[in-house]
Amino acid sequence: MSSSSSKYYYDEKAAERAVTFIERHITHVKGELAGTPFILEGWQKEEIIRPLFGYLHKETKVRKYNTAYIEIPRKNGKSNLCAAIALYMLFADGAYGNGREVVSAAGDRNQAGIVFDLARQMCLNDKVIASNCKIFRNSIVHEKSGSFYKAISADASTKHGFNCSGIIFDELHTQKNRELWDTLTTSQGSRLSPLCIAITTAGWDKNSICWEVHEYAIKVQKGIIKDEGFLPVIYAADAEDDFTKVSTWKKANPGYGTIVKKEYLKKEAEKAKSIVSYENTFRRLFLNQWTAQESKWLSDEQWMSCNLSPVDVETFRGKECYVGLDLASVRDVTALVFIFPNNDRLDVLPFFFMPKENAYIRSRRDGVDYLKWGEDPTTGMILTDGDVTDYDFLKEKIKELAEIFVIKSIAYDRWNASQTVIDLVAEGLPMSPFGQGFISMSAPTKQLETWILTKGINHGGNEVLRWMASNVQVQTDATENIKPSKKKSKEKIDGIVALVMAIGRYMNPGDDDSASKYESNNITFI
């Protein structure tokens, strides 16, 4: 339990009052424990509830803590705990007097509603609480004291009239900026003993309000900053801990073996070991480690396990295919990747185009031998004359291949559409715009991972594509969508991007980039 300075003392009755309220009046509402009393675990009592409500100022009797930052991995019961605390602040916390205003906030109303909906059902499950309040869709009102608890939207501009006594800020890492945090916390200024509880899993964006509060909490925890009103409670594995070990899981998850099922964590860890791009997700969500947005992709061993048989033009003459075209700038690499459905797998045939006079310079810069690749027909590397991309040659090559294969669709980056695309459309080729955002790219990227891990794809060991696969860094958003990131990848990945686009069009052959309007407005879907 947290220590206290000489100005504060621990009031056992005040602490036990909160514990008793929760365990006597609050029930579980979901899962195998639904309808049973919410009996707090030791860590919930000793590290959170008792310190928050038990430490008081010796003279004023005002609570010591007005802010708590609780960082805890997923599946440790944070939503239930938040709902229980919110109801205690509404119905039983004598520090507020009348006119209590308790709110649940989050990155959006739906997230805030998760905690509120649990609290609403908890009220309905207890006759004493239910008889002392009115329960509405988005609010719980205690008329006797003129108090309420509600879930609110993330629009900070509409929250300036609040006078919050209690705030539950769920998943702080999802906040796009600090506006809502500042608006709500400053609304508590006139309260004698306000309380703001931020409870969250770790995030990845280190330019965020969550990272700012996280860093502050660490400094308070270590004694670097002295803030007696701030309670930091952080459960996390250290960077050097082995994410595959049970000891690491226990260290980060206080509810391990009770709230968090052992088999569940074991299964997720196994997934992180087998799918490299999931490792960062596992570390962040289940070990509470702040990870970078970008993460390593597949290992070379996993990639090369899909070198199943040679791939060449003649093998697939007359066969149906889908194509991804990643057009380069005037001195860069253009990737044209064909995929052929072949019973229970896809075969991949890539082509690459680069100006010959620029190849030597690029070889020195990228650390690979483009000139040698250009001499080997198995690589698909074609060095065109001059020092800029020969788009006319590219168009003629695509038209030539269209005579050999039955091309169903050629996916291209709609934001990088050029005269080349216009000309190919005029030639009657099935050009199809394809977004580069998470909505369009995530599903085919994940599918490519799955096929590689299950040998559902055959790339024939193409050297250029192998090199590009080794360069890929995947970028992840807040809802675990992923995509290859050219910005984060240190070297060229154009062939992989083209491959993902081809797979995307194969997965959704009739989809004419309908997601583009959402991506252009920065809206992300799960």
Side-chain angles (χ1 to χ4, degrees):
M1 188 181 296
S2 302
S3 60
S4 185
S5 72
S6 58
K7 291 191 300 183
Y8 299 94
Y9 73 103
Y10 181 69
D11 187 320
E12 180 66 37
K13 288 184 178 180
E16 198 57 33
R17 176 182 171 86
V19 171
T20 299
F21 173 86
I22 292 172
E23 296 191 338
R24 182 174 296 172
H25 295 288
I26 303 302
T27 61
H28 293 279
V29 299
K30 292 183 178 181
E32 59 191 27
L33 296 177
T36 64
F38 186 175
I39 304 302
L40 293 164
E41 297 207 343
W43 61 273
Q44 293 172 322
K45 292 180 187 179
E46 304 307 323
E47 299 297 324
I48 298 172
I49 301 298
R50 283 180 171 144
L52 275 179
F53 299 103
Y55 281 110
L56 307 177
H57 194 281
K58 288 180 178 178
E59 297 180 3
T60 65
K61 310 302 179 185
V62 169
R63 260 200 308 264
K64 175 184 179 182
Y65 295 113
N66 52 57
T67 304
Y69 179 77
I70 304 169
E71 199 172 273
I72 188 168
R74 181 175 286 184
K75 299 297 182 182
N76 279 271
K78 67 178 181 59
S79 296
N80 281 339
L81 184 61
C82 284
I85 293 173
L87 293 179
Y88 177 73
M89 290 193 288
L90 174 62
F91 291 111
D93 189 2
Y96 296 136
N98 292 335
R100 299 183 285 274
E101 295 184 11
V102 184
V103 299
S104 279
D108 56 49
R109 186 190 290 275
N110 288 337
Q111 182 65 44
I114 292 173
V115 173
F116 175 83
D117 289 343
L118 289 172
R120 184 176 182 277
Q121 189 59 49
M122 289 170 176
C123 289
L124 293 171
N125 287 355
D126 185 81
K127 292 181 180 179
V128 175
I129 291 180
S131 65
N132 280 278
C133 67
K134 289 187 175 180
I135 302 172
F136 302 99
R137 181 178 179 181
N138 290 312
S139 65
I140 300 168
V141 178
H142 186 235
E143 290 186 318
K144 184 177 180 180
S145 65
S147 304
F148 67 80
Y149 166 47
K150 63 170 59 177
I152 62 174
S153 70
D155 183 3
S157 65
T158 63
K159 308 302 183 296
H160 289 279
F162 282 146
N163 180 19
C164 297
S165 54
I167 301 168
I168 302 292
F169 223 119
D170 191 21
E171 297 295 11
L172 186 60
H173 78 275
T174 65
Q175 285 299 302
K176 295 180 175 62
N177 55 54
R178 61 177 306 125
E179 290 183 14
L180 185 61
W181 172 265
D182 289 342
T183 298
L184 292 180
T185 54
T186 56
S187 78
Q188 296 185 302
S190 63
R191 293 286 183 174
L192 182 63
S193 189
L195 179 58
C196 175
I197 299 174
I199 189 162
T200 186
T201 51
W204 50 259
D205 184 0
K206 294 187 178 180
N207 295 306
S208 65
I209 180 60
C210 190
W211 177 254
E212 180 182 323
V213 180
H214 164 89
E215 285 290 273
Y216 188 85
I218 293 293
K219 291 176 181 177
V220 172
Q221 195 175 56
K222 292 181 177 180
I224 299 171
I225 293 176
K226 185 177 181 181
D227 185 345
E228 293 184 323
F230 190 99
L231 177 64
V233 183
I234 298 175
Y235 301 96
D238 292 321
E240 64 273 13
D241 291 336
D242 185 344
F243 81 90
T244 67
K245 290 187 175 180
V246 173
S247 58
T248 302
W249 308 343
K250 289 181 179 179
K251 180 179 182 179
N253 293 271
Y256 179 78
T258 53
I259 303 175
V260 185
K261 303 304 180 186
K262 296 179 181 179
E263 285 303 312
Y264 177 78
L265 270 186
K266 181 180 179 181
K267 181 184 71 174
E268 294 300 308
E270 290 293 332
K271 180 179 175 181
K273 284 193 289 184
S274 61
I275 302 177
V276 179
S277 64
Y278 187 68
E279 181 181 325
N280 270 9
T281 299
F282 179 81
R283 288 182 178 277
R284 183 170 67 83
L285 296 181
F286 299 108
L287 300 184
N288 233 28
Q289 295 174 324
W290 281 75
T291 59
Q293 184 181 21
E294 67 277 3
S295 64
K296 59 186 178 182
W297 195 47
L298 299 158
S299 68
D300 184 62
E301 291 75 17
Q302 289 169 322
W303 177 260
M304 289 305 292
S305 71
C306 293
N307 178 12
L308 304 177
S309 64
V311 181
D312 57 47
V313 171
E314 289 304 317
T315 301
F316 298 101
R317 182 176 290 273
K319 301 293 185 181
E320 289 188 353
C321 61
Y322 295 82
V323 186
L325 173 61
D326 189 26
L327 283 166
S329 61
V330 293
R331 288 185 170 84
D332 219 329
V333 179
T334 287
L336 180 71
V337 178
F338 292 73
I339 59 172
F340 299 87
N342 183 9
N343 295 322
D344 58 348
R345 75 182 193 202
L346 289 179
D347 288 289
V348 181
L349 179 64
F351 295 89
F352 307 93
F353 304 84
M354 187 176 189
K356 186 182 298 183
E357 292 183 17
N358 195 41
Y360 177 71
I361 296 172
R362 292 301 303 261
S363 292
R364 294 183 62 185
R365 195 187 79 175
D366 296 346
V368 294
D369 196 338
Y370 289 106
L371 294 171
K372 183 178 179 181
W373 280 342
E375 296 171 355
D376 182 353
T378 66
T379 66
M381 177 63 71
I382 300 172
L383 301 179
T384 58
D385 292 336
D387 64 350
V388 296
T389 301
D390 188 339
Y391 293 110
D392 288 334
F393 181 92
L394 172 64
K395 286 184 290 187
E396 291 303 316
K397 185 64 177 180
I398 293 175
K399 288 162 59 180
E400 174 192 324
L401 293 169
E403 294 293 325
I404 299 172
F405 310 130
V406 180
I407 298 178
K408 305 297 290 183
S409 178
I410 301 176
Y412 67 92
D413 178 1
R414 70 176 187 279
W415 294 117
N416 195 26
S418 65
Q419 187 62 43
T420 302
V421 172
I422 296 172
D423 293 344
L424 290 171
V425 171
E427 293 284 349
L429 288 163
M431 307 302 294
S432 177
F434 196 92
Q436 302 298 289
F438 286 109
I439 296 174
S440 296
M441 298 290 281
S442 184
T445 301
K446 290 180 178 179
Q447 186 60 66
L448 176 56
E449 281 190 358
T450 300
W451 280 335
I452 289 169
L453 295 173
T454 59
K455 296 182 176 59
I457 201 163
N458 169 43
H459 50 64
N462 182 278
E463 288 186 37
V464 183
L465 206 57
R466 178 184 185 181
W467 172 67
M468 290 182 174
S470 73
N471 296 334
V472 174
Q473 293 277 334
V474 292
Q475 187 175 351
T476 308
D477 72 2
T479 52
E480 308 310 323
N481 294 304
I482 66 171
K483 66 174 184 175
S485 173
K486 287 188 176 182
K487 182 178 179 181
K488 301 299 182 182
S489 302
K490 294 180 180 179
E491 305 292 351
K492 305 301 295 179
I493 65 168
D494 311 82
I496 300 300
V497 172
L499 174 57
V500 168
M501 287 197 290
I503 292 172
R505 191 54 65 227
Y506 168 69
M507 293 170 64
N508 296 286
D511 181 7
D512 191 17
D513 201 37
S514 60
S516 63
K517 58 182 177 292
Y518 301 113
E519 290 175 339
S520 62
N521 286 292
N522 296 316
I523 299 173
T524 302
F525 286 77
I526 300 176

